[in-house]
Amino acid sequence: MTRRLGYLPALLVTTGLFGAGLLLAAVQSLGGLPVTGEADWSVAAYRAVFRSHFFWSALGMSAWIAGAGTLAAAALGTLAALVLWRLRAGTILRFLFAWNLPVPHVVGAWITLLLFSQSGLWSRLAHAAGVTRTPADFPALVNDPLAVGVLLELAWKEVPFVGLAVLAALTRFDRRLLDVARSLGASRWVVFWRVVLPAVQPALVSASLLVFTFAFSSFEVPYLLGPTSPATLPVLAYRAFSDPDLTARPMAMALCVVIAGLAGLVVLAWALLSLRGRGRP
Amino acid sequence: MRRTRRILGATLVIGGALPLGLLLVWSFSRRWYFPALLPQEFSLHAWTALLAPAGPVWPALKGSAWVGGMTALLATLIALPAARQLARERPLPRAVVGGLILAPLVLPTFAGVMGVQVALIRLGVADTPAGVIAAHLIPATPYATVLLTGTFEGYNARFEEVARTLGARRREVVTRVTLPLLLPGVLVAALLAFLVSWSEYLLTLIVGGGQVATLPALLFASAQGGDYALTAALSVVYVTPALLIFSLVAWKLRGWPA
Protein backbone atom coordinates (compact mmCIF):
# COMPACT_ATOMS: atom_id res chain seq x y z
CA MET A 1 0.00 0.00 0.00
CA THR A 2 2.77 2.43 0.89
CA ARG A 3 4.24 1.95 -2.57
CA ARG A 4 1.04 3.37 -4.00
CA LEU A 5 1.76 6.64 -2.20
CA GLY A 6 3.84 7.33 -5.29
CA TYR A 7 0.61 8.11 -7.12
CA LEU A 8 -0.21 10.93 -4.75
CA PRO A 9 1.71 13.83 -6.36
CA ALA A 10 0.45 13.00 -9.87
CA LEU A 11 -3.13 12.53 -8.66
CA LEU A 12 -2.86 15.84 -6.82
CA VAL A 13 -2.24 17.56 -10.17
CA THR A 14 -4.62 15.62 -12.40
CA THR A 15 -7.47 15.00 -9.98
CA GLY A 16 -6.79 17.60 -7.28
CA LEU A 17 -6.18 20.50 -9.66
CA PHE A 18 -7.79 19.55 -12.97
CA GLY A 19 -10.67 17.44 -11.61
CA ALA A 20 -11.40 20.02 -8.94
CA GLY A 21 -11.32 22.66 -11.66
CA LEU A 22 -14.02 20.84 -13.60
CA LEU A 23 -16.04 20.50 -10.40
CA LEU A 24 -15.61 24.20 -9.66
CA ALA A 25 -16.72 24.97 -13.22
CA ALA A 26 -19.87 22.93 -12.60
CA VAL A 27 -20.51 24.70 -9.29
CA GLN A 28 -20.08 28.11 -10.89
CA SER A 29 -22.24 27.18 -13.87
CA LEU A 30 -25.07 26.49 -11.44
CA GLY A 31 -24.69 29.89 -9.79
CA GLY A 32 -22.40 28.90 -6.90
CA LEU A 33 -19.28 30.81 -5.85
CA PRO A 34 -20.44 34.02 -7.47
CA VAL A 35 -17.89 36.75 -8.05
CA THR A 36 -20.62 39.30 -7.41
CA GLY A 37 -23.00 39.10 -4.44
CA GLU A 38 -24.98 36.10 -3.17
CA ALA A 39 -25.07 32.56 -4.52
CA ASP A 40 -28.14 32.04 -6.66
CA TRP A 41 -28.57 28.39 -7.56
CA SER A 42 -30.23 27.84 -10.92
CA VAL A 43 -29.86 26.13 -14.26
CA ALA A 44 -30.42 29.42 -16.07
CA ALA A 45 -26.91 29.33 -17.60
CA TYR A 46 -27.57 25.95 -19.22
CA ARG A 47 -30.96 27.07 -20.44
CA ALA A 48 -29.33 30.13 -21.99
CA VAL A 49 -26.62 28.00 -23.61
CA PHE A 50 -29.01 25.48 -25.12
CA ARG A 51 -31.36 28.21 -26.35
CA SER A 52 -28.62 30.21 -28.02
CA HIS A 53 -28.16 29.54 -31.72
CA PHE A 54 -24.48 30.56 -31.28
CA PHE A 55 -24.03 27.42 -29.21
CA TRP A 56 -25.56 25.09 -31.78
CA SER A 57 -23.68 26.55 -34.73
CA ALA A 58 -20.45 26.48 -32.69
CA LEU A 59 -21.13 22.83 -31.81
CA GLY A 60 -21.57 22.11 -35.51
CA MET A 61 -18.34 23.92 -36.40
CA SER A 62 -16.36 22.17 -33.64
CA ALA A 63 -17.74 18.76 -34.64
CA TRP A 64 -16.91 19.47 -38.32
CA ILE A 65 -13.34 20.58 -37.56
CA ALA A 66 -12.67 17.69 -35.18
CA GLY A 67 -14.39 15.08 -37.36
CA ALA A 68 -13.05 16.10 -40.76
CA GLY A 69 -9.60 16.93 -39.34
CA THR A 70 -9.36 13.53 -37.62
CA LEU A 71 -10.52 11.65 -40.73
CA ALA A 72 -8.00 13.48 -42.92
CA ALA A 73 -5.16 12.97 -40.44
CA ALA A 74 -6.05 9.28 -39.95
CA ALA A 75 -6.32 8.51 -43.67
CA LEU A 76 -3.27 10.47 -44.79
CA GLY A 77 -1.25 9.44 -41.74
CA THR A 78 -1.92 5.74 -42.39
CA LEU A 79 -1.10 6.19 -46.07
CA ALA A 80 2.17 7.97 -45.23
CA ALA A 81 3.08 5.28 -42.70
CA LEU A 82 2.43 2.54 -45.27
CA VAL A 83 4.63 4.29 -47.83
CA LEU A 84 7.44 4.76 -45.31
CA TRP A 85 7.09 1.16 -44.19
CA ARG A 86 7.14 -0.28 -47.72
CA LEU A 87 10.23 1.76 -48.51
CA ARG A 88 11.79 0.55 -45.26
CA ALA A 89 12.44 4.15 -44.30
CA GLY A 90 15.33 4.59 -41.91
CA THR A 91 15.87 7.07 -39.10
CA ILE A 92 16.57 10.02 -41.39
CA LEU A 93 13.40 9.68 -43.49
CA ARG A 94 11.32 9.23 -40.36
CA PHE A 95 12.93 12.28 -38.81
CA LEU A 96 12.14 14.38 -41.89
CA PHE A 97 8.59 13.03 -41.95
CA ALA A 98 8.05 14.04 -38.34
CA TRP A 99 9.98 17.29 -38.20
CA ASN A 100 6.85 19.46 -37.72
CA LEU A 101 5.67 17.57 -34.60
CA PRO A 102 7.34 20.05 -32.22
CA VAL A 103 6.19 23.15 -34.16
CA PRO A 104 3.64 24.90 -31.92
CA HIS A 105 0.16 25.26 -33.41
CA VAL A 106 0.34 29.07 -33.30
CA VAL A 107 3.31 28.94 -35.68
CA GLY A 108 1.56 26.30 -37.78
CA ALA A 109 -1.41 28.63 -38.11
CA TRP A 110 0.87 31.52 -39.11
CA ILE A 111 2.65 29.41 -41.76
CA THR A 112 -0.74 28.30 -43.12
CA LEU A 113 -1.69 31.95 -43.44
CA LEU A 114 1.55 32.79 -45.31
CA LEU A 115 0.96 29.88 -47.70
CA PHE A 116 -2.79 29.74 -48.26
CA SER A 117 -4.27 33.19 -47.71
CA GLN A 118 -5.47 35.07 -50.79
CA SER A 119 -2.20 37.01 -50.92
CA GLY A 120 -0.17 34.00 -49.78
CA LEU A 121 2.52 32.11 -51.64
CA TRP A 122 0.17 29.70 -53.46
CA SER A 123 -1.97 32.59 -54.63
CA ARG A 124 1.16 34.33 -55.95
CA LEU A 125 2.23 31.15 -57.73
CA ALA A 126 -1.24 30.86 -59.26
CA HIS A 127 -0.91 34.44 -60.45
CA ALA A 128 2.57 33.81 -61.86
CA ALA A 129 1.20 30.78 -63.71
CA GLY A 130 -1.55 32.94 -65.17
CA VAL A 131 -4.38 31.06 -63.42
CA THR A 132 -5.58 34.04 -61.39
CA ARG A 133 -5.38 37.79 -61.97
CA THR A 134 -6.18 39.26 -58.54
CA PRO A 135 -5.92 37.90 -54.98
CA ALA A 136 -9.71 37.65 -54.92
CA ASP A 137 -9.59 35.08 -57.75
CA PHE A 138 -7.82 32.67 -55.41
CA PRO A 139 -10.28 30.65 -53.30
CA ALA A 140 -10.68 31.91 -49.73
CA LEU A 141 -9.05 29.13 -47.69
CA VAL A 142 -8.42 31.14 -44.52
CA ASN A 143 -11.22 32.44 -42.28
CA ASP A 144 -13.55 30.71 -44.75
CA PRO A 145 -16.99 29.31 -43.82
CA LEU A 146 -15.84 25.67 -44.20
CA ALA A 147 -12.71 26.23 -42.03
CA VAL A 148 -10.47 24.78 -44.76
CA GLY A 149 -7.50 26.71 -43.33
CA VAL A 150 -8.00 25.11 -39.90
CA LEU A 151 -8.25 21.66 -41.49
CA LEU A 152 -5.08 22.24 -43.54
CA GLU A 153 -3.15 23.22 -40.42
CA LEU A 154 -4.54 20.27 -38.46
CA ALA A 155 -3.68 17.81 -41.23
CA TRP A 156 -0.18 19.26 -41.59
CA LYS A 157 0.51 18.89 -37.85
CA GLU A 158 -1.33 15.64 -37.15
CA VAL A 159 -0.44 13.49 -40.18
CA PRO A 160 3.05 12.81 -38.77
CA PHE A 161 1.49 12.28 -35.33
CA VAL A 162 -0.84 9.54 -36.62
CA GLY A 163 1.78 8.34 -39.11
CA LEU A 164 4.42 7.63 -36.47
CA ALA A 165 1.95 5.76 -34.27
CA VAL A 166 0.90 3.55 -37.21
CA LEU A 167 4.51 3.15 -38.32
CA ALA A 168 5.44 1.92 -34.83
CA ALA A 169 2.69 -0.71 -35.08
CA LEU A 170 3.84 -1.69 -38.59
CA THR A 171 7.41 -2.11 -37.37
CA ARG A 172 6.18 -4.76 -34.92
CA PHE A 173 4.18 -6.40 -37.72
CA ASP A 174 5.55 -9.67 -39.13
CA ARG A 175 6.04 -9.15 -42.86
CA ARG A 176 5.83 -12.90 -43.48
CA LEU A 177 2.09 -12.66 -42.85
CA LEU A 178 1.86 -10.76 -46.13
CA ASP A 179 3.44 -13.64 -48.04
CA VAL A 180 1.11 -16.08 -46.31
CA ALA A 181 -1.97 -14.05 -47.27
CA ARG A 182 -0.75 -13.61 -50.85
CA SER A 183 0.05 -17.29 -51.24
CA LEU A 184 -3.46 -18.10 -50.02
CA GLY A 185 -4.73 -16.05 -52.94
CA ALA A 186 -5.62 -12.74 -51.27
CA SER A 187 -5.61 -9.65 -53.50
CA ARG A 188 -3.72 -6.53 -52.49
CA TRP A 189 -6.92 -4.91 -51.20
CA VAL A 190 -7.88 -7.95 -49.17
CA VAL A 191 -4.38 -8.07 -47.72
CA PHE A 192 -4.68 -4.42 -46.71
CA TRP A 193 -8.18 -4.66 -45.22
CA ARG A 194 -7.91 -8.07 -43.56
CA VAL A 195 -4.25 -8.34 -42.60
CA VAL A 196 -2.48 -4.97 -42.37
CA LEU A 197 -5.30 -2.74 -41.13
CA PRO A 198 -6.32 -5.01 -38.19
CA ALA A 199 -2.66 -5.07 -37.13
CA VAL A 200 -2.40 -1.28 -36.94
CA GLN A 201 -5.98 -0.64 -35.81
CA PRO A 202 -5.34 -0.17 -32.07
CA ALA A 203 -2.54 2.33 -32.71
CA LEU A 204 -4.56 4.11 -35.39
CA VAL A 205 -7.66 4.37 -33.20
CA SER A 206 -5.76 5.65 -30.14
CA ALA A 207 -3.88 8.26 -32.19
CA SER A 208 -7.13 9.33 -33.87
CA LEU A 209 -8.82 9.70 -30.49
CA LEU A 210 -6.03 12.02 -29.33
CA VAL A 211 -6.30 14.06 -32.55
CA PHE A 212 -10.09 14.26 -32.23
CA THR A 213 -10.14 15.41 -28.62
CA PHE A 214 -7.31 17.84 -29.29
CA ALA A 215 -9.05 19.34 -32.32
CA PHE A 216 -12.38 19.48 -30.49
CA SER A 217 -10.93 21.58 -27.68
CA SER A 218 -8.28 23.52 -29.59
CA PHE A 219 -8.40 27.29 -29.44
CA GLU A 220 -5.52 29.01 -31.25
CA VAL A 221 -5.92 27.60 -34.74
CA PRO A 222 -9.70 28.10 -35.12
CA TYR A 223 -9.28 31.54 -33.56
CA LEU A 224 -6.63 32.59 -36.09
CA LEU A 225 -7.68 30.63 -39.20
CA GLY A 226 -11.33 29.74 -38.67
CA PRO A 227 -14.41 31.67 -39.66
CA THR A 228 -15.32 34.50 -37.27
CA SER A 229 -18.85 33.16 -37.24
CA PRO A 230 -19.70 30.47 -36.39
CA ALA A 231 -16.88 30.29 -33.85
CA THR A 232 -15.87 26.97 -32.27
CA LEU A 233 -17.00 25.95 -28.77
CA PRO A 234 -13.69 26.76 -27.01
CA VAL A 235 -13.61 30.21 -28.66
CA LEU A 236 -17.18 30.77 -27.49
CA ALA A 237 -16.26 29.69 -23.95
CA TYR A 238 -13.21 31.95 -23.89
CA ARG A 239 -15.21 34.94 -25.13
CA ALA A 240 -17.76 34.45 -22.34
CA PHE A 241 -14.97 33.84 -19.78
CA SER A 242 -13.08 37.03 -20.68
CA ASP A 243 -16.26 39.12 -20.82
CA PRO A 244 -15.79 42.08 -18.46
CA ASP A 245 -19.46 41.65 -17.53
CA LEU A 246 -19.19 39.01 -14.79
CA THR A 247 -22.81 37.90 -15.26
CA ALA A 248 -21.52 36.06 -18.36
CA ARG A 249 -19.34 33.89 -16.08
CA PRO A 250 -21.93 31.17 -15.32
CA MET A 251 -22.52 30.77 -19.06
CA ALA A 252 -18.77 30.41 -19.70
CA MET A 253 -18.68 27.73 -17.01
CA ALA A 254 -21.74 25.96 -18.44
CA LEU A 255 -19.97 25.90 -21.83
CA CYS A 256 -16.86 24.41 -20.17
CA VAL A 257 -18.96 21.70 -18.54
CA VAL A 258 -20.74 20.91 -21.82
CA ILE A 259 -17.46 20.75 -23.81
CA ALA A 260 -15.79 18.57 -21.16
CA GLY A 261 -18.90 16.36 -21.03
CA LEU A 262 -18.93 15.86 -24.80
CA ALA A 263 -15.20 15.06 -24.87
CA GLY A 264 -15.75 12.69 -21.93
CA LEU A 265 -18.51 10.86 -23.83
CA VAL A 266 -16.20 10.34 -26.84
CA VAL A 267 -13.44 8.99 -24.57
CA LEU A 268 -15.93 6.72 -22.77
CA ALA A 269 -17.17 5.32 -26.09
CA TRP A 270 -13.57 4.67 -27.12
CA ALA A 271 -12.79 2.97 -23.79
CA LEU A 272 -15.84 0.70 -24.03
CA LEU A 273 -15.09 -0.19 -27.65
CA SER A 274 -11.47 -1.03 -26.91
CA LEU A 275 -12.51 -3.13 -23.90
CA ARG A 276 -14.93 -5.07 -26.09
CA GLY A 277 -12.25 -5.44 -28.74
CA ARG A 278 -9.89 -6.92 -26.18
CA GLY A 279 -12.39 -9.66 -25.34
CA ARG A 280 -12.27 -11.00 -28.89
CA PRO A 281 -9.67 -13.64 -29.77
CA MET B 1 12.96 1.25 -54.76
CA ARG B 2 16.09 3.27 -54.23
CA ARG B 3 14.85 5.98 -56.59
CA THR B 4 11.39 6.16 -54.99
CA ARG B 5 13.11 6.50 -51.65
CA ARG B 6 15.19 9.36 -52.92
CA ILE B 7 12.13 11.11 -54.36
CA LEU B 8 10.28 10.64 -51.09
CA GLY B 9 13.26 11.97 -49.16
CA ALA B 10 13.47 15.02 -51.40
CA THR B 11 9.73 15.65 -51.04
CA LEU B 12 9.99 15.46 -47.27
CA VAL B 13 13.01 17.79 -47.21
CA ILE B 14 11.22 20.32 -49.40
CA GLY B 15 7.95 19.93 -47.52
CA GLY B 16 9.76 20.44 -44.24
CA ALA B 17 12.13 23.18 -45.39
CA LEU B 18 9.62 25.21 -47.38
CA PRO B 19 7.51 26.47 -44.45
CA LEU B 20 10.55 27.25 -42.30
CA GLY B 21 12.32 28.91 -45.22
CA LEU B 22 9.22 30.99 -45.85
CA LEU B 23 9.35 32.23 -42.25
CA LEU B 24 13.02 33.15 -42.64
CA VAL B 25 12.47 35.00 -45.94
CA TRP B 26 9.52 36.91 -44.49
CA SER B 27 11.55 37.89 -41.43
CA PHE B 28 14.14 39.60 -43.67
CA SER B 29 11.68 41.32 -45.99
CA ARG B 30 10.67 44.94 -45.89
CA ARG B 31 8.30 45.13 -48.85
CA TRP B 32 6.75 41.96 -50.24
CA TYR B 33 3.43 42.70 -51.80
CA PHE B 34 1.19 40.56 -54.00
CA PRO B 35 1.98 39.24 -56.62
CA ALA B 36 5.77 39.33 -56.06
CA LEU B 37 7.21 35.83 -55.59
CA LEU B 38 10.23 37.25 -53.80
CA PRO B 39 10.50 40.25 -51.46
CA GLN B 40 10.86 43.56 -53.32
CA GLU B 41 13.10 44.90 -50.58
CA PHE B 42 15.09 43.09 -47.96
CA SER B 43 15.98 44.56 -44.59
CA LEU B 44 16.99 43.65 -41.09
CA HIS B 45 14.38 45.92 -39.53
CA ALA B 46 12.28 43.13 -38.02
CA TRP B 47 15.31 41.51 -36.43
CA THR B 48 16.77 44.77 -35.09
CA ALA B 49 13.38 45.73 -33.66
CA LEU B 50 12.94 42.26 -32.17
CA LEU B 51 16.42 41.97 -30.68
CA ALA B 52 16.66 45.55 -29.37
CA PRO B 53 17.64 45.46 -25.68
CA ALA B 54 14.34 47.08 -24.66
CA GLY B 55 12.30 44.95 -27.08
CA PRO B 56 9.39 42.84 -25.86
CA VAL B 57 11.00 39.56 -26.92
CA TRP B 58 13.37 39.32 -23.94
CA PRO B 59 10.77 39.25 -21.15
CA ALA B 60 8.68 36.85 -23.25
CA LEU B 61 11.67 34.57 -23.88
CA LYS B 62 12.56 34.68 -20.19
CA GLY B 63 8.95 34.02 -19.20
CA SER B 64 8.60 31.05 -21.55
CA ALA B 65 11.95 29.59 -20.48
CA TRP B 66 11.24 30.01 -16.75
CA VAL B 67 7.69 28.63 -16.92
CA GLY B 68 8.81 25.80 -19.24
CA GLY B 69 11.83 24.91 -17.13
CA MET B 70 9.91 24.85 -13.86
CA THR B 71 7.05 22.91 -15.45
CA ALA B 72 9.49 20.35 -16.86
CA LEU B 73 11.29 19.94 -13.53
CA LEU B 74 8.13 19.66 -11.43
CA ALA B 75 6.23 17.47 -13.90
CA THR B 76 9.14 15.03 -14.09
CA LEU B 77 9.55 14.88 -10.31
CA ILE B 78 5.79 14.40 -9.86
CA ALA B 79 5.57 11.78 -12.61
CA LEU B 80 8.59 9.70 -11.48
CA PRO B 81 7.07 7.91 -8.46
CA ALA B 82 3.72 7.45 -10.23
CA ALA B 83 5.34 5.98 -13.35
CA ARG B 84 7.56 3.68 -11.28
CA GLN B 85 4.53 2.26 -9.54
CA LEU B 86 2.33 2.14 -12.67
CA ALA B 87 4.96 0.10 -14.51
CA ARG B 88 4.66 -2.75 -12.00
CA GLU B 89 0.96 -2.43 -11.19
CA ARG B 90 -1.61 -5.18 -11.77
CA PRO B 91 -3.92 -4.57 -14.78
CA LEU B 92 -7.07 -3.39 -12.99
CA PRO B 93 -5.58 -0.79 -10.61
CA ARG B 94 -3.29 0.22 -13.44
CA ALA B 95 -6.26 0.97 -15.69
CA VAL B 96 -8.06 2.92 -12.95
CA VAL B 97 -5.13 5.01 -11.67
CA GLY B 98 -3.68 5.36 -15.16
CA GLY B 99 -7.03 6.60 -16.40
CA LEU B 100 -7.22 9.22 -13.65
CA ILE B 101 -3.67 10.45 -14.26
CA LEU B 102 -3.95 10.46 -18.06
CA ALA B 103 -7.44 12.03 -18.23
CA PRO B 104 -6.11 15.57 -18.97
CA LEU B 105 -4.58 14.22 -22.20
CA VAL B 106 -8.02 13.62 -23.73
CA LEU B 107 -10.21 16.12 -21.87
CA PRO B 108 -10.25 19.87 -22.53
CA THR B 109 -7.69 21.19 -20.04
CA PHE B 110 -8.89 24.77 -20.48
CA ALA B 111 -12.29 23.83 -18.99
CA GLY B 112 -10.67 22.75 -15.71
CA VAL B 113 -8.37 25.77 -15.65
CA MET B 114 -11.23 28.22 -16.26
CA GLY B 115 -13.06 26.55 -13.37
CA VAL B 116 -10.11 26.59 -10.98
CA GLN B 117 -9.24 30.23 -11.77
CA VAL B 118 -11.45 31.46 -8.87
CA ALA B 119 -9.40 29.38 -6.47
CA LEU B 120 -6.14 30.64 -7.97
CA ILE B 121 -7.35 34.22 -7.46
CA ARG B 122 -8.14 33.46 -3.80
CA LEU B 123 -4.68 31.92 -3.40
CA GLY B 124 -3.14 35.01 -4.96
CA VAL B 125 -1.34 33.12 -7.77
CA ALA B 126 -3.56 34.25 -10.65
CA ASP B 127 -1.62 36.55 -13.01
CA THR B 128 1.69 35.15 -11.69
CA PRO B 129 4.21 32.72 -13.20
CA ALA B 130 3.49 30.34 -10.29
CA GLY B 131 -0.16 30.12 -11.28
CA VAL B 132 0.75 29.59 -14.93
CA ILE B 133 3.19 26.81 -13.98
CA ALA B 134 0.45 25.13 -11.93
CA ALA B 135 -1.86 25.26 -14.97
CA HIS B 136 0.85 23.92 -17.32
CA LEU B 137 1.43 20.98 -14.97
CA ILE B 138 -2.05 19.71 -15.88
CA PRO B 139 -1.10 18.70 -19.45
CA ALA B 140 2.64 18.18 -18.73
CA THR B 141 2.34 15.67 -15.85
CA PRO B 142 0.35 13.04 -17.81
CA TYR B 143 2.78 13.23 -20.75
CA ALA B 144 5.76 12.77 -18.47
CA THR B 145 3.96 9.89 -16.74
CA VAL B 146 3.28 8.07 -20.04
CA LEU B 147 6.90 8.39 -21.14
CA LEU B 148 8.39 7.46 -17.77
CA THR B 149 6.10 4.44 -17.43
CA GLY B 150 7.59 3.22 -20.70
CA THR B 151 11.08 3.84 -19.30
CA PHE B 152 10.37 1.90 -16.11
CA GLU B 153 8.80 -0.96 -18.08
CA GLY B 154 12.01 -1.30 -20.03
CA TYR B 155 14.08 -1.12 -16.84
CA ASN B 156 15.09 -4.37 -15.24
CA ALA B 157 15.61 -3.93 -11.50
CA ARG B 158 17.58 -7.18 -11.42
CA PHE B 159 20.59 -5.30 -12.73
CA GLU B 160 20.72 -3.75 -9.28
CA GLU B 161 20.77 -7.20 -7.68
CA VAL B 162 23.52 -8.31 -10.02
CA ALA B 163 25.57 -5.24 -9.10
CA ARG B 164 25.00 -5.95 -5.41
CA THR B 165 26.10 -9.58 -5.72
CA LEU B 166 29.18 -8.40 -7.59
CA GLY B 167 30.03 -6.37 -4.48
CA ALA B 168 28.80 -2.87 -5.39
CA ARG B 169 27.87 -0.64 -2.50
CA ARG B 170 24.38 0.95 -2.26
CA ARG B 171 25.62 4.31 -3.55
CA GLU B 172 27.53 2.69 -6.36
CA VAL B 173 24.41 0.80 -7.43
CA VAL B 174 22.50 4.07 -7.68
CA THR B 175 25.20 6.05 -9.45
CA ARG B 176 26.59 3.33 -11.72
CA VAL B 177 23.50 1.21 -12.49
CA THR B 178 20.14 2.81 -11.70
CA LEU B 179 20.82 6.37 -12.85
CA PRO B 180 22.65 5.58 -16.11
CA LEU B 181 19.86 3.19 -17.11
CA LEU B 182 17.01 5.59 -16.30
CA LEU B 183 18.60 8.92 -17.13
CA PRO B 184 17.97 8.95 -20.91
CA GLY B 185 14.25 8.25 -20.41
CA VAL B 186 13.99 10.83 -17.63
CA LEU B 187 15.68 13.46 -19.80
CA VAL B 188 13.37 12.76 -22.73
CA ALA B 189 10.34 13.06 -20.43
CA ALA B 190 11.61 16.36 -19.02
CA LEU B 191 12.32 17.79 -22.48
CA LEU B 192 8.88 16.77 -23.67
CA ALA B 193 7.24 18.33 -20.62
CA PHE B 194 9.20 21.49 -21.39
CA LEU B 195 7.88 21.43 -24.95
CA VAL B 196 4.29 20.99 -23.75
CA SER B 197 4.65 24.12 -21.64
CA TRP B 198 6.58 25.96 -24.37
CA SER B 199 3.69 25.41 -26.84
CA GLU B 200 0.89 26.24 -24.43
CA TYR B 201 -1.04 29.41 -25.12
CA LEU B 202 -4.62 29.24 -23.89
CA LEU B 203 -3.85 28.11 -20.32
CA THR B 204 -1.31 30.94 -19.98
CA LEU B 205 -3.91 33.38 -21.23
CA ILE B 206 -6.59 32.16 -18.79
CA VAL B 207 -4.38 32.17 -15.68
CA GLY B 208 -1.88 34.87 -16.62
CA GLY B 209 -4.50 37.25 -17.94
CA GLY B 210 -1.89 38.90 -20.17
CA GLN B 211 0.31 39.67 -17.14
CA VAL B 212 2.67 36.73 -17.62
CA ALA B 213 4.69 37.34 -20.79
CA THR B 214 5.43 34.27 -22.92
CA LEU B 215 6.50 33.87 -26.55
CA PRO B 216 3.18 32.42 -27.81
CA ALA B 217 1.29 35.32 -26.22
CA LEU B 218 3.59 37.81 -27.94
CA LEU B 219 3.34 35.89 -31.21
CA PHE B 220 -0.44 35.80 -31.03
CA ALA B 221 -0.64 39.55 -30.49
CA SER B 222 1.86 40.15 -33.29
CA ALA B 223 -0.02 37.86 -35.70
CA GLN B 224 -3.20 39.83 -35.10
CA GLY B 225 -1.32 43.13 -35.38
CA GLY B 226 -0.44 42.43 -38.98
CA ASP B 227 3.34 43.09 -39.06
CA TYR B 228 4.34 40.08 -41.16
CA ALA B 229 8.12 40.50 -40.94
CA LEU B 230 8.09 40.88 -37.16
CA THR B 231 5.71 37.95 -36.70
CA ALA B 232 7.89 35.79 -38.94
CA ALA B 233 11.06 36.70 -37.01
CA LEU B 234 9.27 35.99 -33.74
CA SER B 235 8.10 32.62 -35.11
CA VAL B 236 11.71 31.72 -35.92
CA VAL B 237 12.79 32.62 -32.38
CA TYR B 238 9.90 30.56 -31.02
CA VAL B 239 10.30 27.36 -33.09
CA THR B 240 14.10 27.09 -33.04
CA PRO B 241 14.40 25.77 -29.45
CA ALA B 242 11.52 23.35 -30.09
CA LEU B 243 13.22 21.99 -33.22
CA LEU B 244 16.54 21.69 -31.37
CA ILE B 245 14.89 19.69 -28.61
CA PHE B 246 13.18 17.54 -31.24
CA SER B 247 16.51 16.79 -32.91
CA LEU B 248 17.90 15.73 -29.53
CA VAL B 249 15.12 13.28 -28.70
CA ALA B 250 14.01 12.22 -32.21
CA TRP B 251 15.58 8.79 -31.72
CA LYS B 252 12.93 8.15 -29.13
CA LEU B 253 9.99 9.20 -31.27
CA ARG B 254 7.02 8.11 -29.27
CA GLY B 255 4.22 9.77 -27.40
CA TRP B 256 4.35 13.27 -28.83
CA PRO B 257 1.67 15.77 -27.91
CA ALA B 258 -0.96 16.22 -30.60
Side-chain angles (χ1 to χ4, degrees), chain B residues 18-40:
Chain B
L18 179 79
L20 272 199
L22 191 63
L23 284 178
L24 270 177
V25 174
W26 260 112
S27 76
F28 287 107
S29 70
R30 176 153 211 119
R31 288 190 315 118
W32 191 5
Y33 299 118
F34 186 89
L37 286 175
L38 282 173
Q40 289 121 324

Side-chain angles (χ1 to χ4, degrees), chain B residues 38-58:
Chain B
L38 282 173
Q40 289 121 324
E41 194 183 332
F42 285 97
S43 97
L44 285 170
H45 82 281
W47 285 103
T48 42
L50 195 69
L51 302 179
V57 74
W58 301 112

